[in-house]
Amino acid sequence: MQQFLESFLPAGPLVVFVFSIIPLMIILVYALFAIWLERKVAGHMQDRLGPMRTGWHGWAQTIADLLKMIQKEDIVPAKADRFLFKLAPFIAFAASYGAFVAIPLSSGYIGSMIDVGVFYIVAITSLLSVSIIMAGWASNNKWSLLGAMRTAAQTVSYEVPTVVTILSVIIVTGTLNLMEVTEMQTGNAFLGFLPSWLIFHSPFMVIAFGLFFIATLAEAHRVPFDLPESESELVGGYQTEYSGMRWGLFMLTEYADMLLLSLVGVTLFFGGWNSPFGSFMEGPLWGAFWMLLKGMILVFVMMWLRWTLPRLRVDQLMNLCWKYLIPLSFVNLVLIALWEMIF
Amino acid sequence: MVKALTDTYSAFKSIFIGMGITMRHLFTRSVTVQYPEVRDKLPERVRMKLHVNIDDCIGCRLCERACPVECIDIGTIKSTDDDDLGETSTGHKKKLWVDNFDIDMAKCCYCELCVHPCPTNCITMVEEYEYSTYDRRDLIFSFSDMTPEQIEEANRKLEAEEENKRRKKEEARLAKEKKAAQKDADGGGDASAGESSTGKSPAGKSTTGESPFGDADSSSAKSEASGDADADREARREAREARRAARKAEREAKKKSEE
Ligand code: SF4
Ligand code: SF4
């Protein structure tokens, strides 16, 4: 990719710049689309229509909202900690954007071929909870602080099952580099016709994916685990005092996080940029297409869940994590390890 | 342990059932009505806004009297003998100019009581509900189609005719008195008839001076009769007349200032 860019751009910082903003472009376009999709999905699941006025079936609604947000007054509460308050949304977005570095978007594009890929992603997404606590604390508002505390508890708890399920995948792949993980899944190995994706590797991988998906829902603060921002009980959680573009950045982060965790799930379990039809429709561009398509399907499932399930209570949230997910994921880890030893 | 497993099973089962339901709803037709473009069909006999077909109005003011909140305001001018106002589509003869027909929809309580008494069915509820305004005064709808010049013309003609009649009556009276005086010489007084006619004449004058709807109108005569019985209604009628007079004065002042 970098060589390809260098073929028509002068080498140096410009190439690096273009190279590094490609995921940003994808995230921005995706966020416009995903927010619109979320509204449409929400509307139709409740037998409504969703946005209909701006363009064909309201496709430009998010753009209109964006324009509105840019025009809003930039309010910082008088008693807030100005510096932290202003810094928090940028750290939040930087954390989720930083994680895209280690994700192979196609066979020809990965931000950085680091060998600790997954580990790096897990580590840098924890920064998100730091920024949320920062926002909650700096707002000097009880709702914000409560939301931030919940986030801290939630993120710390749910990182354990996430990491353990990721670990069980790593046992199979033997590498942390996501590009190598994806390359391992090329071809149709299982039963002759199933793509050799890791989810088909053993029945325990299906369980691992279930656990991983539940845990990532909690990490992305999506319903039913959206306690940090639960509008109906905490006003807006840590976002209460934010308005305008700063709030927009938090929103963008939330959606970028959904995509990020979906893409990690896709890479670990569903073959990443591999085509589901073996060598049919393959290549760097098709790879990007499959990667994003699979990611969007998982994002859609997240939205689907959001409009199906009610929110958990704090104690239920902790119960679910510590009494069900963590024991199950450890048992699953041992079973997968045994399966690997036997076969 | 067993409980945990059964709990997990029932949790997943209910989640999948719920997801099935939401997925089904994703593909059912939505119930949204795209309002300004698509409108619900309204039931018959909806009450939304009053409309008066002023060509059919005979100025009988039955609607005004039926209204419980006094939001209809009608002014009429008697037509002169040489004017023919024609007939309504229902075949009623029109005898009065309707110089003023205001309905204050801000006060209206949509009881529809004004609609039914109308002898010519010209006041009706129509299906129009988007008439909100920023100013309460804009909710007074005027239905009279008479121009100020026409009103003035009608008033002048009526006054001229009244004047004419009065003069004729006066002449008749004088002639009568002369005759009576002549007869008096013959003997036998018949002054009582003359007295009664003079008693009636000033009353007619005062009504024409104040409000030009005249006491020849049968309905107004009826109202006076019932007014005797019902003092409250009489008071209301008087208030109305005072209002009308005030409005007329205002109109005239305006006209003068325009000139
Ligand atoms: S509907 Fe009722 S309140 Fe309205 S003008 Fe007619 S009688 Fe008066
Ligand atoms: S009842 Fe009918 S005819 Fe009589 S004044 Fe009212 S609208 Fe006119």
Side-chain angles (χ1 to χ4, degrees):
Chain A
M1 185 72 193
Q2 206 147 2
Q3 286 83 9
F4 171 67
L5 284 173
E6 270 164 6
S7 65
F8 59 88
L9 285 175
L14 189 61
V15 170
V16 177
F17 178 70
V18 172
F19 185 71
S20 56
I21 64 164
I22 287 173
L24 182 64
M25 293 300 129
I26 293 176
I27 291 173
L28 290 178
V29 174
Y30 146 83
L32 289 181
F33 176 69
I35 293 174
W36 172 80
L37 185 71
E38 172 114 50
R39 287 171 162 163
K40 289 308 252 190
V41 167
H44 283 281
M45 280 189 177
Q46 298 167 346
D47 290 352
R48 296 184 285 112
L49 284 174
M52 288 296 281
R53 299 282 158 187
T54 34
W56 181 82
H57 280 253
W59 67 270
Q61 188 61 51
T62 326
I63 298 175
D65 284 349
L66 194 74
L67 289 179
K68 183 197 78 175
M69 249 163 10
I70 291 173
Q71 293 169 30
K72 285 221 168 175
E73 190 189 345
D74 178 18
I75 300 170
V76 179
K79 293 266 175 71
D81 185 323
R82 292 185 75 85
F83 179 68
L84 289 184
F85 186 84
K86 287 186 171 174
L87 189 63
F90 296 106
I91 291 195
F93 186 68
S96 78
Y97 186 52
F100 276 88
V101 166
I103 292 190
L105 285 176
S106 90
S107 51
Y109 185 91
I110 180 167
S112 164
M113 281 284 262
I114 40 175
D115 282 336
V116 289
V118 195
F119 181 66
Y120 164 76
I121 290 176
V122 170
I124 201 149
T125 44
S126 322
L127 250 187
L128 190 64
S129 52
V130 173
S131 80
I132 287 175
I133 293 174
M134 214 185 240
W137 178 262
S139 296
N140 202 355
N141 172 320
K142 290 190 184 66
W143 300 121
S144 304
L145 192 56
L146 265 179
M149 303 287 255
R150 284 183 176 188
T151 316
Q154 183 176 332
T155 317
V156 168
S157 317
Y158 277 85
E159 237 157 47
V160 181
T162 316
V163 171
V164 173
T165 46
I166 288 178
L167 196 59
S168 48
V169 179
I170 300 308
I171 287 178
V172 179
T173 61
T175 171
L176 286 165
N177 186 331
L178 283 174
M179 194 56 134
E180 283 169 25
V181 171
T182 315
E183 275 160 6
M184 277 181 63
Q185 305 180 54
T186 314
N188 286 358
F190 300 119
L191 307 173
F193 67 93
L194 280 181
S196 52
W197 297 350
L198 281 171
I199 187 129
F200 302 122
H201 185 263
S202 69
F204 305 116
M205 286 308 261
V206 180
I207 299 176
F209 174 68
L211 295 170
F212 175 80
F213 189 69
I214 295 173
T216 50
L217 270 184
E219 292 237 340
H221 314 306
R222 293 290 296 180
V223 176
F225 308 108
D226 67 333
L227 286 101
E229 52 212 72
S230 47
E231 309 90 343
S232 42
E233 41 189 282
L234 281 184
V235 188
Y238 62 90
Q239 303 171 346
T240 308
E241 297 291 353
Y242 281 89
S243 58
M245 217 41 222
R246 269 182 239 285
W247 179 84
L249 264 181
F250 272 125
M251 201 68 184
L252 185 64
T253 309
E254 189 190 320
Y255 278 86
D257 233 34
M258 275 166 77
L259 182 67
L260 171 76
L261 293 166
S262 299
L263 288 184
V264 172
V266 165
T267 314
L268 289 181
F269 295 95
F270 292 101
W273 40 258
N274 281 308
S275 152
F277 312 113
S279 54
F280 179 58
M281 307 223 294
E282 241 186 355
L285 281 181
W286 279 115
F289 168 75
W290 287 119
M291 183 76 173
L292 291 175
L293 181 71
K294 290 172 190 174
M296 283 313 293
I297 290 174
L298 279 191
V299 167
F300 171 75
V301 175
M302 286 185 178
M303 291 175 183
W304 182 7
L305 275 169
R306 172 167 182 184
W307 300 104
T308 306
L309 298 178
R311 185 181 304 127
L312 291 181
R313 233 168 33 217
V314 183
D315 59 325
Q316 291 170 333
L317 182 85
M318 291 298 154
N319 259 348
L320 178 70
C321 183
W322 293 101
K323 290 193 185 162
Y324 292 85
L325 289 186
I326 292 180
L328 258 177
S329 56
F330 272 109
V331 169
N332 206 40
L333 173 73
V334 172
L335 288 175
I336 287 180
L338 283 177
W339 181 283
E340 274 302 291
M341 272 168 67
I342 295 165
F343 296 99
Chain B
M1 180 68 191
V2 175
K3 191 175 174 298
L5 283 179
T6 51
D7 279 357
T8 314
Y9 173 71
S10 63
F12 272 100
K13 198 177 149 208
S14 59
I15 287 175
F16 283 122
I17 288 174
M19 285 174 82
I21 290 171
T22 41
M23 192 38 105
R24 225 174 26 250
H25 277 277
L26 186 59
F27 294 107
T28 49
R29 273 195 87 72
S30 70
V31 295
T32 310
V33 176
Q34 295 273 73
Y35 162 58
E37 289 95 39
V38 187
R39 285 151 196 261
D40 268 336
K41 212 180 133 22
L42 294 165
E44 276 177 69
R45 302 193 289 151
V46 285
R47 304 178 194 170
M48 290 174 167
K49 188 184 172 189
L50 281 166
H51 176 75
V52 177
N53 182 3
I54 199 69
D55 290 339
D56 272 1
C57 179
I58 56 171
C60 66
R61 300 170 63 196
L62 285 176
C63 50
E64 184 183 36
R65 231 164 310 128
C67 180
V69 291
E70 309 255 318
C71 60
I72 305 183
D73 201 344
I74 302 176
T76 50
I77 305 172
K78 230 170 35 163
S79 66
T80 49
D81 292 339
D82 54 331
D83 270 332
D84 185 16
L85 299 187
E87 280 186 352
T88 66
S89 58
T90 50
H92 289 71
K93 188 98 183 67
K94 282 164 79 173
K95 291 185 190 131
L96 298 166
W97 296 106
V98 181
D99 68 325
N100 178 42
F101 201 128
D102 290 352
I103 301 182
D104 189 349
M105 290 310 283
K107 285 192 211 155
C108 177
C109 67
Y110 305 93
C111 61
E112 218 180 39
L113 288 176
C114 54
V115 170
H116 301 296
C118 179
T120 60
N121 289 335
C122 63
I123 180 164
T124 42
M125 283 284 183
V126 287
E127 209 175 287
E128 194 199 322
Y129 45 88
E130 289 155 319
Y131 56 93
S132 50
T133 59
Y134 286 105
D135 191 338
R136 191 163 56 187
R137 279 165 295 188
D138 294 343
L139 285 172
I140 300 176
F141 292 93
S142 294
F143 293 99
S144 174
D145 56 356
M146 285 180 83
T147 59
E149 290 78 44
Q150 279 176 315
I151 295 172
E152 206 181 2
E153 164 90 18
N155 271 330
R156 215 193 50 235
K157 272 171 106 173
L158 179 66
E159 252 157 55
E161 200 193 54
E162 296 269 328
E163 195 61 47
N164 232 347
K165 273 190 187 154
R166 221 177 21 252
R167 217 175 21 245
K168 270 190 191 144
K169 234 183 218 169
E170 193 73 22
E171 275 164 14
R173 195 174 60 87
L174 286 176
K176 227 179 188 177
E177 260 170 22
K178 225 181 246 169
K179 243 186 221 165
Q182 267 171 14
K183 254 190 192 168
D184 224 15
D186 304 343
D190 199 9
S192 63
E195 222 167 86
S196 78
S197 73
T198 38
K200 208 169 189 177
S201 149
K205 200 177 181 182
S206 77
T207 26
T208 41
E210 283 286 313
S211 62
F213 59 88
D215 55 357
D217 187 359
S218 65
S219 72
S220 133
K222 227 193 283 168
S223 99
E224 247 159 43
S226 63
D228 289 335
D230 190 346
D232 181 41
R233 188 176 290 181
E234 177 68 65
R236 256 194 294 167
R237 198 182 66 86
E238 262 161 28
R240 201 151 57 215
E241 261 157 34
R243 244 186 303 151
R244 192 167 299 123
R247 204 176 42 243
K248 200 180 159 206
E250 191 185 296
R251 200 158 49 216
E252 247 142 43
K254 207 199 232 167
K255 223 186 300 161
K256 241 168 234 158
S257 73
E258 267 166 17
E259 280 163 21

